[in-house]
Amino acid sequence: MFPHGGPGVALLLLRILVAAAFLMNLANRHGVSSNPVLLVLALVICLISLSLFVGFLTPFLASIVGVAAAANLLIAFNSGNLIHLYTIFVAVSLALLGPGAYSVDAKLFGRRVTVVPPRKDKNPPLNLSSL
């Protein structure tokens, strides 16, 4: 779940890419405004992007970014907005792959191995070869 080395660096770059795409979407869509609702929205988007950048709650936040990109694609569809398809695919792949070893999630949850003890049957299976 938290690969090291090359795959971990690739997941780090993927997180940075999704966070940057989400921030650029904010800049292209809303720009600078004094509307308090847009300022709160900009703050939430910046917080989500920062959390993705450092790898905090990556699968959940990448899913939010993918849904937001899909909503942007459906709300204002034109040929210039097909870049949102790219963001959707990258965000979904990040949500499915996870954050990687170089993230806050890896430090919080760590690598865990679940050891399943051997099964103790009360009725062992019949050994038909001895009959």
Side-chain angles (χ1 to χ4, degrees):
M1 182 166 185
F2 302 112
H4 291 285
V9 172
L11 286 169
L12 171 68
L13 294 174
L14 198 61
R15 286 195 330 259
I16 292 170
L17 182 76
V18 171
F22 201 44
L23 278 176
M24 288 189 325
N25 181 27
L26 168 72
N28 290 336
R29 167 103 33 208
H30 301 295
V32 178
S33 175
S34 62
N35 185 351
V37 174
L38 290 179
L39 289 175
V40 170
L41 178 66
L43 181 66
V44 168
I45 289 174
C46 288
L47 185 64
I48 289 173
S49 295
L50 180 67
S51 296
L52 272 174
F53 180 77
V54 297
F56 179 66
L57 299 177
T58 303
F60 176 69
L61 295 178
S63 300
I64 289 176
V65 171
V67 168
N72 283 332
L73 182 66
L74 294 175
I75 288 172
F77 181 77
N78 63 28
S79 61
N81 283 344
L82 289 180
I83 192 71
H84 293 301
L85 282 176
Y86 175 75
T87 306
I88 293 168
F89 290 137
V90 173
V92 168
S93 65
L94 180 62
L96 294 175
L97 288 173
Y102 311 111
S103 65
V104 173
D105 284 345
K107 300 298 180 212
L108 288 177
F109 303 114
R111 290 181 168 222
R112 293 190 177 107
V113 176
T114 303
V115 178
V116 179
R119 185 175 151 185
K120 296 179 182 177
D121 285 336
K122 291 182 181 178
N123 300 321
L126 288 174
N127 187 359
L128 297 178
S129 63
S130 65
L131 294 176

